[in-house]
């Protein structure tokens, strides 16, 4: 589920749904599938993707009225990926201009930075779609049907990928940690790249992680959390943003650490989500 930054292409053969949630931040889904090749999956993708989006949105401490438009595409990649399709300037930190993902900006402010065009894209590998993903028939309630032991939960995948579209994204070199120029993302800002693995050192994340240390990032894929050989005290192998692998037959949930990373990156989270739960 590596993050890929992509440009918006001309969209044809689009089919769209209106959001069903009444939350201040809601979602629409449309498909870039000109021949309708994967139309049999549209309904399951739409219901699980919107439910995953609402899972994030109900945690946001914002009164903004925003509708995040997601466009779904299909290609030959092994799994799936997602990214915001624009970015917005936030501030300059230590002489470096800092940008947030366009979807995050819209969720915070209610202002759509790219107008009527899609705000983020989700790209699903066709083999992954047909052979690996299991779509929850009741994604708004979850837990009512077991995830098959030979499948991965699409809802969990969508929660993970939308985190990339909102916050878990940046421009640092995944090996060296270097920025490509005089700019960075809100996630880049809090990456300590002086050690291996890199660490996320945002103040909320470090406090929420609970081990008195920075949050380890995945080696070679540092917009994810944790590694296969965990650091002492680490419990990230079942985190929805865990980088090295995805377990079949397992539902992932948004953790306090995930929410704290969002808060460090500028999306405020309801206080109750860290205490009594959302």
């Amino acid at each position: 589920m590596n993050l890929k930054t992509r440009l918006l292409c001309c969209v044809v053969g689009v089919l769209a749904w209106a959001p069903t949630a009444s939350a201040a931040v809601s979602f629409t889904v449309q498909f870039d599938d000109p021949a309708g090749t994967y139309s049999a999956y549209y309904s399951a993708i739409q219901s699980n993707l919107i439910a995953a989006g609402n899972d994030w949105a109900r945690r946001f401490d914002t009164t903004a009225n925003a509708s995040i438009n997601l466009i779904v595409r299909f290609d030959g990649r092994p799994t799936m990926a997602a990214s915001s399709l624009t970015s917005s300037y936030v501030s300059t930190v230590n002489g470096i201009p800092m940008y947030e993902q366009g979807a995050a900006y819209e969720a915070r402010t209610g202002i759509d930075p790219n107008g009527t065009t899609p705000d983020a894209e989700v790209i699903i590998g066709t083999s992954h779609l047909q052979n690996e993903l299991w779509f929850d028939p009741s994604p708004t309630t979850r837990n009512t049907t077991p995830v098959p032991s030979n499948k991965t939960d699409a809802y969990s995948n969508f929660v993970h990928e939308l985190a990339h579209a909102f916050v878990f994204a940046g421009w640092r070199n995944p090996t060296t940690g270097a920025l490509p120029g005089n700019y960075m993302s809100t996630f880049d800002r809090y990456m300590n790249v002086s050690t291996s693995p890199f660490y996320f050192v945002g103040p909320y994340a470090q406090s929420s992680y609970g081990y008195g240390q920075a949050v380890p990032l995945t080696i070679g894929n540092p917009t994810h959390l944790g590694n296969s050989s965990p650091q002492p005290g680490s419990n990230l192998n079942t985190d929805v943003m865990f980088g090295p692998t995805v377990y079949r037959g397992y539902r992932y949930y948004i953790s306090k650490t995930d929410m704290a990373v969002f808060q460090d990156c500028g999306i405020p989270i309801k206080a109750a989500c860290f205490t009594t739960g959302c």
Side-chain angles (χ1 to χ4, degrees), residues 232-250:
S234 173
N235 62 347
L236 294 171
N237 62 317
T238 57
D239 194 284
V240 73
M241 296 312 297
F242 186 60
T245 189
V246 176
Y247 298 115
R248 289 172 171 166
Y250 186 79

PDB file of all heavy atoms in Angstrom, residues 232-250:
ATOM      1  N   PRO A 232      11.759  -2.221  21.040  1.00  0.00           N
ATOM      2  CA  PRO A 232      11.274  -2.586  22.382  1.00  0.00           C
ATOM      3  C   PRO A 232      10.021  -1.804  22.760  1.00  0.00           C
ATOM      4  O   PRO A 232       9.966  -0.588  22.632  1.00  0.00           O
ATOM      5  CB  PRO A 232      12.455  -2.230  23.288  1.00  0.00           C
ATOM      6  CG  PRO A 232      13.652  -2.332  22.395  1.00  0.00           C
ATOM      7  CD  PRO A 232      13.181  -1.868  21.046  1.00  0.00           C
ATOM      8  N   GLY A 233       9.007  -2.543  23.210  1.00  0.00           N
ATOM      9  CA  GLY A 233       7.768  -1.910  23.642  1.00  0.00           C
ATOM     10  C   GLY A 233       6.794  -1.619  22.519  1.00  0.00           C
ATOM     11  O   GLY A 233       5.664  -1.227  22.770  1.00  0.00           O
ATOM     12  N   SER A 234       7.187  -1.821  21.272  1.00  0.00           N
ATOM     13  CA  SER A 234       6.329  -1.483  20.150  1.00  0.00           C
ATOM     14  C   SER A 234       5.151  -2.442  20.048  1.00  0.00           C
ATOM     15  O   SER A 234       5.281  -3.637  20.254  1.00  0.00           O
ATOM     16  CB  SER A 234       7.134  -1.516  18.847  1.00  0.00           C
ATOM     17  OG  SER A 234       6.277  -1.351  17.739  1.00  0.00           O
ATOM     18  N   ASN A 235       3.987  -1.885  19.712  1.00  0.00           N
ATOM     19  CA  ASN A 235       2.806  -2.720  19.478  1.00  0.00           C
ATOM     20  C   ASN A 235       2.175  -2.371  18.137  1.00  0.00           C
ATOM     21  O   ASN A 235       0.967  -2.430  17.976  1.00  0.00           O
ATOM     22  CB  ASN A 235       1.787  -2.518  20.602  1.00  0.00           C
ATOM     23  CG  ASN A 235       1.279  -1.075  20.673  1.00  0.00           C
ATOM     24  OD1 ASN A 235       1.851  -0.176  20.063  1.00  0.00           O
ATOM     25  ND2 ASN A 235       0.212  -0.858  21.411  1.00  0.00           N
ATOM     26  N   LEU A 236       2.994  -2.008  17.179  1.00  0.00           N
ATOM     27  CA  LEU A 236       2.485  -1.453  15.931  1.00  0.00           C
ATOM     28  C   LEU A 236       2.131  -2.505  14.884  1.00  0.00           C
ATOM     29  O   LEU A 236       1.572  -2.162  13.843  1.00  0.00           O
ATOM     30  CB  LEU A 236       3.514  -0.477  15.344  1.00  0.00           C
ATOM     31  CG  LEU A 236       3.754   0.790  16.176  1.00  0.00           C
ATOM     32  CD1 LEU A 236       4.937   1.565  15.628  1.00  0.00           C
ATOM     33  CD2 LEU A 236       2.503   1.662  16.211  1.00  0.00           C
ATOM     34  N   ASN A 237       2.423  -3.768  15.131  1.00  0.00           N
ATOM     35  CA  ASN A 237       2.200  -4.773  14.089  1.00  0.00           C
ATOM     36  C   ASN A 237       0.723  -4.994  13.791  1.00  0.00           C
ATOM     37  O   ASN A 237       0.379  -5.559  12.750  1.00  0.00           O
ATOM     38  CB  ASN A 237       2.867  -6.098  14.461  1.00  0.00           C
ATOM     39  CG  ASN A 237       2.306  -6.702  15.723  1.00  0.00           C
ATOM     40  OD1 ASN A 237       2.068  -6.003  16.705  1.00  0.00           O
ATOM     41  ND2 ASN A 237       2.109  -8.010  15.718  1.00  0.00           N
ATOM     42  N   THR A 238      -0.175  -4.548  14.674  1.00  0.00           N
ATOM     43  CA  THR A 238      -1.603  -4.638  14.383  1.00  0.00           C
ATOM     44  C   THR A 238      -2.229  -3.259  14.153  1.00  0.00           C
ATOM     45  O   THR A 238      -3.451  -3.128  14.115  1.00  0.00           O
ATOM     46  CB  THR A 238      -2.355  -5.349  15.524  1.00  0.00           C
ATOM     47  OG1 THR A 238      -2.112  -4.658  16.752  1.00  0.00           O
ATOM     48  CG2 THR A 238      -1.906  -6.799  15.641  1.00  0.00           C
ATOM     49  N   ASP A 239      -1.395  -2.244  13.971  1.00  0.00           N
ATOM     50  CA  ASP A 239      -1.895  -0.906  13.687  1.00  0.00           C
ATOM     51  C   ASP A 239      -2.323  -0.830  12.223  1.00  0.00           C
ATOM     52  O   ASP A 239      -1.679  -1.421  11.343  1.00  0.00           O
ATOM     53  CB  ASP A 239      -0.800   0.135  13.961  1.00  0.00           C
ATOM     54  CG  ASP A 239      -1.345   1.547  14.009  1.00  0.00           C
ATOM     55  OD1 ASP A 239      -1.633   2.115  12.934  1.00  0.00           O
ATOM     56  OD2 ASP A 239      -1.489   2.093  15.118  1.00  0.00           O
ATOM     57  N   VAL A 240      -3.396  -0.095  11.954  1.00  0.00           N
ATOM     58  CA  VAL A 240      -3.880   0.008  10.578  1.00  0.00           C
ATOM     59  C   VAL A 240      -2.858   0.658   9.661  1.00  0.00           C
ATOM     60  O   VAL A 240      -2.888   0.453   8.442  1.00  0.00           O
ATOM     61  CB  VAL A 240      -5.228   0.772  10.535  1.00  0.00           C
ATOM     62  CG1 VAL A 240      -5.031   2.262  10.783  1.00  0.00           C
ATOM     63  CG2 VAL A 240      -5.964   0.533   9.222  1.00  0.00           C
ATOM     64  N   MET A 241      -1.892   1.416  10.225  1.00  0.00           N
ATOM     65  CA  MET A 241      -0.868   2.049   9.411  1.00  0.00           C
ATOM     66  C   MET A 241       0.455   1.286   9.432  1.00  0.00           C
ATOM     67  O   MET A 241       1.482   1.800   8.997  1.00  0.00           O
ATOM     68  CB  MET A 241      -0.652   3.497   9.866  1.00  0.00           C
ATOM     69  CG  MET A 241      -1.866   4.392   9.685  1.00  0.00           C
ATOM     70  SD  MET A 241      -2.636   4.269   8.042  1.00  0.00           S
ATOM     71  CE  MET A 241      -1.317   4.867   6.989  1.00  0.00           C
ATOM     72  N   PHE A 242       0.434   0.048   9.914  1.00  0.00           N
ATOM     73  CA  PHE A 242       1.631  -0.795   9.903  1.00  0.00           C
ATOM     74  C   PHE A 242       2.085  -1.004   8.469  1.00  0.00           C
ATOM     75  O   PHE A 242       1.286  -1.308   7.581  1.00  0.00           O
ATOM     76  CB  PHE A 242       1.307  -2.134  10.566  1.00  0.00           C
ATOM     77  CG  PHE A 242       2.493  -3.049  10.754  1.00  0.00           C
ATOM     78  CD1 PHE A 242       3.577  -2.655  11.522  1.00  0.00           C
ATOM     79  CD2 PHE A 242       2.509  -4.312  10.181  1.00  0.00           C
ATOM     80  CE1 PHE A 242       4.651  -3.507  11.727  1.00  0.00           C
ATOM     81  CE2 PHE A 242       3.586  -5.172  10.379  1.00  0.00           C
ATOM     82  CZ  PHE A 242       4.669  -4.769  11.147  1.00  0.00           C
ATOM     83  N   GLY A 243       3.388  -0.856   8.222  1.00  0.00           N
ATOM     84  CA  GLY A 243       3.887  -0.859   6.860  1.00  0.00           C
ATOM     85  C   GLY A 243       4.298  -2.181   6.267  1.00  0.00           C
ATOM     86  O   GLY A 243       4.039  -2.445   5.084  1.00  0.00           O
ATOM     87  N   PRO A 244       4.958  -3.071   7.025  1.00  0.00           N
ATOM     88  CA  PRO A 244       5.563  -4.244   6.390  1.00  0.00           C
ATOM     89  C   PRO A 244       4.581  -5.255   5.813  1.00  0.00           C
ATOM     90  O   PRO A 244       4.889  -5.911   4.815  1.00  0.00           O
ATOM     91  CB  PRO A 244       6.378  -4.876   7.528  1.00  0.00           C
ATOM     92  CG  PRO A 244       6.685  -3.740   8.435  1.00  0.00           C
ATOM     93  CD  PRO A 244       5.470  -2.881   8.390  1.00  0.00           C
ATOM     94  N   THR A 245       3.420  -5.432   6.428  1.00  0.00           N
ATOM     95  CA  THR A 245       2.520  -6.475   5.941  1.00  0.00           C
ATOM     96  C   THR A 245       1.094  -6.162   6.344  1.00  0.00           C
ATOM     97  O   THR A 245       0.831  -5.328   7.209  1.00  0.00           O
ATOM     98  CB  THR A 245       2.929  -7.856   6.515  1.00  0.00           C
ATOM     99  OG1 THR A 245       2.183  -8.882   5.869  1.00  0.00           O
ATOM    100  CG2 THR A 245       2.676  -7.924   8.013  1.00  0.00           C
ATOM    101  N   VAL A 246       0.155  -6.853   5.673  1.00  0.00           N
ATOM    102  CA  VAL A 246      -1.261  -6.784   6.019  1.00  0.00           C
ATOM    103  C   VAL A 246      -1.726  -8.209   6.287  1.00  0.00           C
ATOM    104  O   VAL A 246      -1.486  -9.110   5.485  1.00  0.00           O
ATOM    105  CB  VAL A 246      -2.096  -6.164   4.872  1.00  0.00           C
ATOM    106  CG1 VAL A 246      -3.582  -6.179   5.214  1.00  0.00           C
ATOM    107  CG2 VAL A 246      -1.630  -4.750   4.581  1.00  0.00           C
ATOM    108  N   TYR A 247      -2.370  -8.417   7.416  1.00  0.00           N
ATOM    109  CA  TYR A 247      -2.797  -9.761   7.786  1.00  0.00           C
ATOM    110  C   TYR A 247      -4.150 -10.097   7.173  1.00  0.00           C
ATOM    111  O   TYR A 247      -5.089  -9.294   7.208  1.00  0.00           O
ATOM    112  CB  TYR A 247      -2.883  -9.890   9.315  1.00  0.00           C
ATOM    113  CG  TYR A 247      -1.568  -9.677  10.010  1.00  0.00           C
ATOM    114  CD1 TYR A 247      -1.391  -8.588  10.870  1.00  0.00           C
ATOM    115  CD2 TYR A 247      -0.501 -10.544   9.801  1.00  0.00           C
ATOM    116  CE1 TYR A 247      -0.176  -8.380  11.505  1.00  0.00           C
ATOM    117  CE2 TYR A 247       0.715 -10.333  10.442  1.00  0.00           C
ATOM    118  CZ  TYR A 247       0.870  -9.258  11.290  1.00  0.00           C
ATOM    119  OH  TYR A 247       2.081  -9.051  11.914  1.00  0.00           O
ATOM    120  N   ARG A 248      -4.244 -11.302   6.628  1.00  0.00           N
ATOM    121  CA  ARG A 248      -5.534 -11.797   6.150  1.00  0.00           C
ATOM    122  C   ARG A 248      -6.420 -12.187   7.339  1.00  0.00           C
ATOM    123  O   ARG A 248      -5.931 -12.514   8.407  1.00  0.00           O
ATOM    124  CB  ARG A 248      -5.324 -13.008   5.238  1.00  0.00           C
ATOM    125  CG  ARG A 248      -4.702 -12.652   3.887  1.00  0.00           C
ATOM    126  CD  ARG A 248      -4.350 -13.899   3.108  1.00  0.00           C
ATOM    127  NE  ARG A 248      -3.962 -13.580   1.737  1.00  0.00           N
ATOM    128  CZ  ARG A 248      -3.351 -14.423   0.915  1.00  0.00           C
ATOM    129  NH1 ARG A 248      -3.060 -15.657   1.333  1.00  0.00           N
ATOM    130  NH2 ARG A 248      -3.044 -14.060  -0.316  1.00  0.00           N
ATOM    131  N   GLY A 249      -7.724 -12.157   7.104  1.00  0.00           N
ATOM    132  CA  GLY A 249      -8.669 -12.589   8.118  1.00  0.00           C
ATOM    133  C   GLY A 249      -8.748 -11.677   9.324  1.00  0.00           C
ATOM    134  O   GLY A 249      -9.221 -12.097  10.384  1.00  0.00           O
ATOM    135  N   TYR A 250      -8.335 -10.424   9.180  1.00  0.00           N
ATOM    136  CA  TYR A 250      -8.189  -9.534  10.341  1.00  0.00           C
ATOM    137  C   TYR A 250      -8.777  -8.157  10.041  1.00  0.00           C
ATOM    138  O   TYR A 250      -8.556  -7.621   8.955  1.00  0.00           O
ATOM    139  CB  TYR A 250      -6.704  -9.401  10.690  1.00  0.00           C
ATOM    140  CG  TYR A 250      -6.415  -8.633  11.954  1.00  0.00           C
ATOM    141  CD1 TYR A 250      -6.549  -9.229  13.198  1.00  0.00           C
ATOM    142  CD2 TYR A 250      -6.004  -7.304  11.895  1.00  0.00           C
ATOM    143  CE1 TYR A 250      -6.284  -8.526  14.367  1.00  0.00           C
ATOM    144  CE2 TYR A 250      -5.737  -6.586  13.052  1.00  0.00           C
ATOM    145  CZ  TYR A 250      -5.873  -7.204  14.284  1.00  0.00           C
ATOM    146  OH  TYR A 250      -5.611  -6.495  15.428  1.00  0.00           O
TER     147      TYR A 250
END
